[in-house]
Amino acid sequence: FFQRTLTAVRSWFTQFGWPRGQNPISIPYSLRRDVSIVQLTVPQEKIFKRKLDRDKGFYEMILHLNGQPIPGISATQSLPLDPVERMFQLHWQHSELLSFLKSQGASLSHVMPEFLLEPEDYKMWAECFTSEGRRGSMRSSGKLSGRHFFVLKDRAFETMSKRAWTDVLLQIYKVLVLPRVSFRVVPDPSSLESLPNMPRIKSEPLSSNIYSRYERVILIWLNKNYEKNRKIVWKDSQKGGIPPTRWIVNFDQDLLDGLVLAAQVAAYCPYLMPTHFIRMYTDPKTHEQFLHNCLILVKALRAVNLNMGIKV
């Protein structure tokens, strides 16, 4: 499950997270590396094999998705040359990132700033805590607070780091991308009540403890498009006639047979109906029929250049 989630997150941010086209990322490796590269003068850069592309750094992605930088952190932040000072600045930047995201509503209380560091920096951070002399001097200088901590071994740290960066990206999507969804994509949400046998999904903030307001707006959009288009998309169906009315209340079980997503695609690309969608099973019962429908849906997405590596 976590690997599938990571793959989906990596695919979305690779294709849509950057201001100038695609930028392949690996979680956590490329993200940790990009925020850790020291930006040097031109003569100093010659001794390094890789320079950070100013348009493809992690904080450049944040700037692109948020519309403005995180307070106090520039998209082209410079780092000290001294390894210890550099580690502390990175730790501070990660702390500011987490604080900013949590202030926007992100659920990241389980992610510590040190989990976002490179392994070498994490070891340095851990050494600062486990060395009694250095720990005392750090606390006296105010650089480390007296919070609880635990030191991870190499393999455990890599596992934790991968999970932490995945969760950070998921929460970035939640608080910086989903809020772009507005009722403008659903001109009249209350009109669902006028559709036969179609209960209304409320969009008020406290009406669900599972989905955010923005996710419920998307559910409204799914319901409205499906109910509006099912009789149009499958009026000439070759495999079962017009599908029945349904109430779409989640993003997993209710989308498994491909029909709901096909109705959304058909609303914007009606020319796919005679070439693809009329061949879908409109009342699928078996795993083979579900697979058949999803094959057609993926082929339809590829036909309009939405080839995002989606597995059937």
Side-chain angles (χ1 to χ4, degrees), residues 31-32 43-44 63 96 102 137 139 141 146 150 157 174 207 209 271 281 284 305:
L31 300 174
R32 293 188 314 205
Q44 290 172 310
L63 175 61
E96 292 298 303
K102 285 188 279 191
S137 63
R139 284 180 173 170
S141 65
F150 53 93
F157 170 75
K174 171 187 169 182
S207 63
N209 63 352
Y271 52 85
Y281 288 98
N305 294 321

Side-chain angles (χ1 to χ4, degrees), residues 171-185:
Q171 294 299 311
I172 286 173
Y173 185 89
K174 171 187 169 182
V175 301
L176 300 184
V177 180
L178 269 183
R180 299 177 186 175
V181 176
S182 73
F183 279 118
R184 285 178 294 179
V185 301

